[in-house]
Amino acid sequence: RAPSMATLLKPRAVPEVLGAANVDGVETTMLVDFHGNLMAFKGEHEQDEVVRDAAIACNVWHCHSNQPEKTAFAGDLRTVLIELEQGKLAVCSSGG
């Protein structure tokens, strides 16, 4: 049988993988599903802060990706940068 093209992570490994991205000034990395649900996170911030930031990020992402005719760019949305009071938040799609 041929190996699958997709590789799934074990749930216990997800925080470790997210933590590996916390370098060069990145303080917290989070995994959020398309509906805005926080799936996992790793970093210096408290869970309530991360949940709030995930909600903001998903709202901004949905506004821009669902109504491209009302935004200042054309084409597929790849990254959104948001400046918050406590720092900057970069949002990008991880697939699908």
Side-chain angles (χ1 to χ4, degrees), residues 69-83:
E69 69 280 356
K70 294 183 180 180
T71 60
F73 59 86
D76 292 333
L77 183 63
R78 295 183 190 184
T79 305
V80 173
L81 300 174
I82 304 168
E83 191 161 349

Side-chain angles (χ1 to χ4, degrees), residues 18 26 34 40 43 56 59 66 73-74:
L18 294 175
V26 175
F34 189 71
I56 292 169
N59 189 20
N66 292 335
F73 59 86

Side-chain angles (χ1 to χ4, degrees), residues 10-92:
K10 293 181 181 179
R12 291 183 183 178
V14 173
E16 183 179 338
V17 171
L18 294 175
N22 293 342
V23 295
D24 297 329
V26 175
E27 296 175 357
T28 301
T29 306
M30 60 184 126
L31 178 63
V32 181
D33 72 9
F34 189 71
H35 301 289
N37 300 310
L38 180 65
M39 306 302 288
F41 78 97
K42 182 72 173 184
E44 300 176 13
H45 294 94
E46 298 294 325
Q47 184 169 351
D48 60 333
E49 291 178 274
V50 176
V51 169
R52 181 200 59 223
D53 292 348
I56 292 169
C58 287
N59 189 20
V60 171
W61 185 274
H62 284 293
C63 287
H64 286 278
S65 65
N66 292 335
Q67 299 178 11
E69 69 280 356
K70 294 183 180 180
T71 60
F73 59 86
D76 292 333
L77 183 63
R78 295 183 190 184
T79 305
V80 173
L81 300 174
I82 304 168
E83 191 161 349
L84 302 168
E85 288 180 6
Q86 70 276 18
K88 295 176 183 159
L89 176 63
V91 183
C92 60

